[in-house]
Amino acid sequence: MALLLMFSRPLLKLYIGDEAASTPGLLDAATDYVKIRSLSMPTSLLLGVLQAALLGAKDSVTPLVAIVYSTVVNVVGDYVLVTRFHYGLQGAAIATTLAQWAATGALIPVARQKLLKSHNFDLLRRSDAADPDTVTSSAFLSFAAPVLTLILGKLAAFGFMTHSAAAVPGQPIPLASHQIILSLLFFCTPFFEVLSQTAQTFLPAFLAPLNEHVRTRKAADPKYDEHTDAAVVPWKLAGQRVATKLLVTGLASAGLIASAA
């Protein structure tokens, strides 16, 4: 947030290029929008983490309620600030920022109640090394690395597309067209994003007992071979079938929705 508040104008100018930046009013409007939207940065990470944690806890209702809060605040904010008070682009940015804060605020009380044993965040409490629920740094990094790679890939893809659109002559029409196409895609994404969320929520619970069974048997018998265990083989095959069906369904629906958009 601080970085965007201080350096949004030179960063935007570098990002969209000199030709787009020289379009009258474009850089000024973009700078105003980014500065206002940057005020929601403190909520961005927290909102995503809370949504994922609640979905992992099989609670899909609370994130839905949070989206309702966000939608209502955004629609009302756009109407009041843009239509009634004529704040234009700044009004739209304020409405979106308030909507993100509202969604995050709606998730925090439920997350404290459902996800935390002590019902508080215990940010300064030291973890007990003997606690079986403690996650080691190496285990966390092994999980976080693929997720970070995925996020960086998304950022790179959308970033290069926007940068390329800004380099097309005849601004601001190419940038506006690019934004409309992206908006159409994002409007359609919930139809296949739900498959991703479902897989992330249910597949670990489907496979975790199997992994625990194998660890227990290996601890009891060093010669234990999971590949010959009559309980493990069909369980693994069932898990692979579920994962494959989800993957195929996801790829097919993503291709259809992206083509339609």
Side-chain angles (χ1 to χ4, degrees):
M1 181 182 73
L3 178 69
L4 289 175
L5 286 173
M6 290 187 294
F7 303 111
S8 57
R9 188 178 183 87
L11 286 173
L12 283 169
K13 185 176 181 180
L14 177 66
Y15 184 60
I16 66 177
D18 291 334
E19 183 177 350
S22 62
T23 302
L26 179 62
L27 187 59
D28 292 335
T31 302
D32 291 343
Y33 186 87
V34 168
K35 284 185 175 180
I36 295 171
R37 289 288 286 113
S38 70
L39 299 176
S40 67
M41 285 293 168
T43 69
S44 297
L45 181 61
L46 181 58
L47 178 63
V49 169
L50 291 180
Q51 285 178 330
L54 287 167
L55 288 171
K58 307 286 195 300
D59 178 5
S60 60
V61 176
T62 303
L64 180 63
V65 172
I67 291 174
V68 172
Y69 275 92
S70 174
T71 302
V72 171
V73 171
N74 208 348
V75 170
V76 173
D78 280 336
Y79 174 74
V80 172
L81 297 174
V82 179
T83 305
R84 305 299 297 178
F85 289 94
H86 306 291
Y87 284 169
L89 194 65
Q90 290 86 350
I94 293 171
T96 306
T97 300
L98 292 177
Q100 193 159 359
W101 277 95
T104 307
L107 290 180
I108 290 175
V110 181
R112 288 181 60 186
Q113 182 180 5
K114 290 190 173 184
L115 303 178
L116 302 169
K117 295 176 182 178
S118 61
H119 294 182
N120 62 71
F121 288 105
D122 288 336
L123 293 177
L124 301 179
R125 182 176 64 86
R126 295 179 62 86
S127 297
D128 184 1
D131 185 354
D133 292 331
T134 300
V135 179
T136 64
S137 299
S138 59
F140 174 76
L141 289 175
S142 66
F143 173 79
V147 178
L148 178 61
T149 303
L150 174 65
I151 293 174
L152 290 176
K154 286 183 177 181
L155 290 174
F158 289 118
F160 280 122
M161 284 191 290
T162 304
H163 183 71
S164 299
V168 175
Q171 295 299 337
I173 293 176
L175 266 177
S177 303
H178 171 68
Q179 185 58 45
I180 290 172
I181 295 171
L182 273 185
S183 298
L184 288 172
L185 176 63
F186 292 150
F187 176 78
C188 297
T189 51
F191 295 99
F192 56 83
E193 181 67 22
V194 67
L195 291 170
S196 171
Q197 299 289 359
T198 302
Q200 293 178 59
T201 300
F202 287 94
L203 274 182
F206 188 87
L207 298 174
L210 173 63
N211 296 332
E212 182 63 28
H213 169 75
V214 171
R215 281 196 298 268
T216 303
R217 291 295 303 275
K218 284 184 177 181
D221 181 9
K223 296 181 180 180
Y224 167 76
D225 184 7
E226 62 183 276
H227 301 290
T228 60
D229 191 330
V232 170
V233 175
W235 200 342
K236 277 191 172 182
L237 289 176
Q240 289 173 356
R241 283 195 295 268
V242 173
T244 301
K245 287 180 180 179
L246 285 167
L247 181 61
V248 171
T249 306
L251 287 171
S253 62
L256 289 173
I257 294 297
S259 299

